Amino acid sequence: MIRVLLADDQRLVRAAFAMLVESAPDMEVVGQAGTGREAVELARSARADLVVMDIRMPEMDGIEATRLIAADEDLAGVKVLVLTTYDTDDHVVEALRAGASGFLVKDTRPAELLTAIRTVAAGDSLLSPGPTARLIARVLSARSVPETSPARGPDCLSVRERQVLALVARGLTNTEIAESLGLSPLTAKTHVSRIMGKLDARDRAQLVIIAYESGLVTPGDIRVTAPDGG
């Protein structure tokens, strides 16, 4: 069973999500929070596997709540799926940087929400077929200078790893990366795992952030910056 915590300041929204989640045979709602602070406290006490997190909440917003959950070693296994009203909400980028594993627009279809919960709970980021990558590209292209720089950039990666990272930033799955580069899916998966280790990235969502903020991938036409020496 996937233990789900729902965090949203609107009671009716929480109630609707709770009914949907409880209707799935492989999920259960273990708590509901109306503020970001409550979300953090319940993530600790209810032993949730995943938090469906609204961004705009009183007392503490979803971004800060996500940051606290991601930074807590006791909550290392807890995943965060962010909900936003519009897919152009630039706060989504901050939530992904804080440690969220993906995002959904609130008016998504019920079946898509359940699929998203299963995807994120399984340890994957909600990136394919690329809406997260496109959102990050739009937001970062509007900024003259990134607000923060990644702790470790892609300079430490091999040429092949940089190619793989660029494709991750476009929202490609491991299978699609393998097809694009003429690799086996297992080799592509291994490359992605090694890249996350080298860049100290929590998941694929953070790889996307690093790829754009470091300049490896350029918003718009998405081109890879050539490594030094070709």
Side-chain angles (χ1 to χ4, degrees):
M1 295 290 286
I2 302 173
R3 298 170 60 82
V4 180
L5 169 62
L6 302 172
D8 195 295
D9 63 339
Q10 299 181 43
R11 291 179 182 271
L12 287 177
V13 172
R14 292 201 310 270
F17 284 156
M19 290 179 61
L20 175 62
V21 172
E22 290 287 359
S23 72
D26 57 340
M27 302 179 194
E28 63 176 330
V29 176
V30 296
Q32 298 185 37
T35 70
R37 193 176 306 281
E38 288 179 1
V40 175
E41 293 173 352
L42 283 175
R44 291 170 176 155
S45 62
R47 297 192 303 171
D49 298 314
L50 180 142
V51 182
V52 177
M53 184 82 75
D54 188 23
I55 289 181
R56 294 179 176 87
M57 289 186 291
E59 292 187 22
M60 177 189 295
D61 64 25
I63 296 172
E64 182 60 23
T66 297
R67 184 175 294 111
L68 291 176
I69 290 172
D72 192 328
E73 293 183 359
D74 293 334
L75 300 178
V78 180
K79 307 295 183 180
V80 176
L81 175 62
V82 168
L83 290 179
T84 180
T85 305
Y86 305 104
D87 66 359
T88 55
D89 189 341
D90 61 0
H91 287 98
V92 170
V93 176
E94 305 308 320
L96 293 174
R97 184 184 289 116
S101 295
F103 81 96
L104 275 182
V105 181
K106 275 191 175 181
D107 63 358
T108 190
R109 292 193 296 264
E112 291 178 348
L113 174 59
L114 297 180
T115 298
I117 290 173
R118 294 186 182 102
T119 298
V120 174
D124 296 323
S125 295
L126 197 66
L127 297 178
S128 183
T132 303
R134 290 195 295 272
L135 170 64
I136 292 170
R138 287 200 303 271
V139 173
L140 294 184
S141 65
R143 299 177 181 170
S144 58
V145 179
E147 292 185 3
T148 60
S149 298
R152 302 184 65 181
D155 289 345
C156 66
L157 303 179
S158 68
V159 173
R160 174 63 82 189
E161 288 169 341
R162 289 163 68 92
Q163 292 172 335
V164 171
L165 176 58
L167 295 178
V168 169
R170 290 177 55 189
L172 272 65
T173 64
N174 289 340
T175 299
E176 292 167 338
I177 291 172
E179 293 175 352
S180 178
L181 298 178
L183 307 172
S184 71
L186 179 58
T187 299
K189 181 178 180 180
T190 299
H191 278 307
V192 173
S193 296
R194 287 177 178 171
I195 292 168
M196 285 194 288
K198 287 185 177 182
L199 299 182
D200 294 327
R202 178 186 176 99
D203 52 30
R204 294 170 77 101
Q206 290 199 331
L207 289 184
V208 175
I209 293 287
I210 292 172
Y212 280 103
E213 290 200 326
S214 67
L216 176 70
V217 174
T218 302
D221 58 356
I222 306 181
R223 57 180 181 273
V224 182
T225 301
D228 293 339

